[in-house]
């Protein structure tokens, strides 16, 4: 490999590895830089939307393997904690819009390992682990990425272009001086995985359920063999992390979700703050941001990881054309305009609206929200239009209008 004629990808999460796999499939040499010793096991994202699965069909066998390891969800719903289902959305209404008219629940780390398997035998693909991106320099001919090793030593690697997919605290973004303004949601999200079979106890519960309640809303997500429960935690409780994560307190909160005299077996637990932030630009010269390095958002609606994969496809498709000489570098500015618009106008707005709907305390406003959802589900045209938006299909169609 001529290492000055390669694309460097910083970050081996879904966005980074999808971009790398696309580029490598176009015959473009790639070096992937990952700060961890192995691929991260990030348990946060688990929802694959229909157009994401359509895109991933580019990589042979990946979608079939995800389906085999995950759970197909033909419906999802909003529920009232006290009265039950408000609106159940039927993904089959998208059968003419996608090859995958369902949501798939499958942990994102499974995707990254599948993509690594695809890349492993490609002689033009190199993985560098234990390599933390720290600084970027560039000129008219290429980029240089400085990486730091666990022993504190530093190395410089050169390439023609750099994809910064190194997460929310992106060193690539900071090194370029790109702003990342936004807000932090006050509550902490506590995510718990349990073997308890909610489907055997909660009447008519869908595999994906957003439960509205004026006192404490929550989300239930079923994956293969487990249910994940997302519980918002007030700042005053989250300030004492030891208490928030204490087994007794977790059991108390889970009993509030659904009484279980035998107690809950908890397989995983994690707590994290939620931010809504979008980079001022996704492109600077020969460096391009994607995934959490470019945008982070509330997980309600499952648009974060999916949006990162959509970034990666858009970016890699355009960069491939630039690499082949079919377009000049200015094409990448359109990538920035397109994907940034989606992050601001679609992903953030949908996630914020979902949170507002679930968290609403005013009885009259809650009733109006619920009546609106019932009306949408009852009208076939509105039902499909809502699913096109919530499944991110409409946002991809609208990109063609962004010059």
């Amino acid at each position: 490999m001529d290492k000055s004629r390669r694309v460097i990808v910083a970050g081996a999460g879904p966005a980074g590895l999808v971009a790398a796999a696309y580029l490598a499939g176009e015959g473009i040499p790639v070096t992937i830089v990952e700060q961890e010793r192995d691929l991260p096991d990030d348990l946060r994202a688990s929802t694959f939307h229909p157009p994401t699965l359509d895109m991933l069909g580019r990589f042979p066998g990946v979608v079939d393997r995800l389906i085999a390891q995950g759970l197909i969800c033909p419906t999802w719903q909003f529920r009232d904690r006290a009265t039950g289902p408000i609106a159940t959305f039927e993904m089959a209404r998208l059968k003419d819009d996608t090859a995958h008219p369902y949501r798939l629940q499958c942990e994102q780390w499974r995707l990254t390992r599948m993509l690594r398997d695809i890349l492993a035998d490609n002689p033009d693909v190199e993985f560098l682990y234990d390599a933390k991106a720290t600084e970027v320099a560039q000129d008219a001919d290429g980029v240089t990425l400085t990486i730091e090793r666990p022993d504190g030593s530093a190395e410089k690697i050169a390439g023609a272009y750099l994809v910064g997919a190194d997460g929310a605290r992106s060193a690539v973004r900071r090194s370029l001086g790109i702003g990342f303004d936004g807000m932090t949601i006050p509550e902490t999200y506590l995510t718990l995985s349990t073997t308890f079979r909610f489907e055997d106890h909660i009447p008519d519960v869908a595999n994906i359920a957003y439960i509205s309640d004026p006192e404490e809303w929550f989300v239930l997500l079923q994956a293969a063999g487990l249910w994940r429960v997302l519980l918002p935690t007030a700042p005053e409780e989250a300030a004492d992390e030891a208490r928030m994560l204490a087994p007794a307190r977790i059991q108390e909160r889970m009993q509030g979700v659904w009484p279980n005299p035998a107690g809950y077996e908890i397989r995983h637990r994690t707590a994290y703050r939620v931010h809504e932030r979008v980079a001022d630009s996704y492109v600077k010269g020969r460096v391009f941001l994607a995934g959490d390095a470019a945008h982070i958002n509330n997980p309600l609606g499952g648009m974060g990881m999916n949006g990162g994969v959509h970034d990666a496809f858009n970016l890699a498709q355009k960069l491939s054309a630039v690499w082949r000489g079919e377009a000049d570098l200015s094409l990448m500015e359109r990538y920035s305009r397109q994907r940034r618009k989606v992050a601001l106008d679609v992903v953030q707005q949908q996630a914020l609206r979902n949170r507002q709907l679930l968290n609403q305390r005013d009885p009259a406003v809650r009733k109006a929200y619920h009546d609106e959802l019932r009306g949408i589900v009852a009208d076939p045209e509105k039902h499909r239009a809502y699913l096109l938006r919530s499944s991110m299909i409409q946002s991809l169609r609208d990109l063609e209008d962004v010059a």
Side-chain angles (χ1 to χ4, degrees), residues 180-186 274-277 296 348 352 355:
F180 201 45
D181 294 332
M183 60 174 285
T184 300
I185 292 172
V274 174
H275 310 273
E276 298 277 357
R277 300 182 186 276
I296 51 175
Q348 281 202 353
L352 288 170
R355 176 175 174 270

Side-chain angles (χ1 to χ4, degrees), residues 279-336:
D280 291 345
S281 174
Y282 291 10
V283 173
K284 189 164 185 178
R286 291 172 168 266
V287 183
F288 324 113
L289 302 179
D292 286 356
H295 51 84
I296 51 175
N297 64 276
N298 191 319
L300 299 179
M303 292 186 172
M305 183 268 289
N306 288 273
V309 172
H310 299 184
D311 292 344
F313 268 85
N314 189 311
L315 185 163
Q317 182 181 45
K318 289 179 170 60
L319 184 55
S320 296
V322 172
W323 187 275
R324 292 190 296 264
E326 298 167 2
D328 62 35
L329 193 56
S330 65
L331 179 63
M332 302 309 297
E333 294 292 345
R334 189 177 185 219
Y335 158 71
S336 179

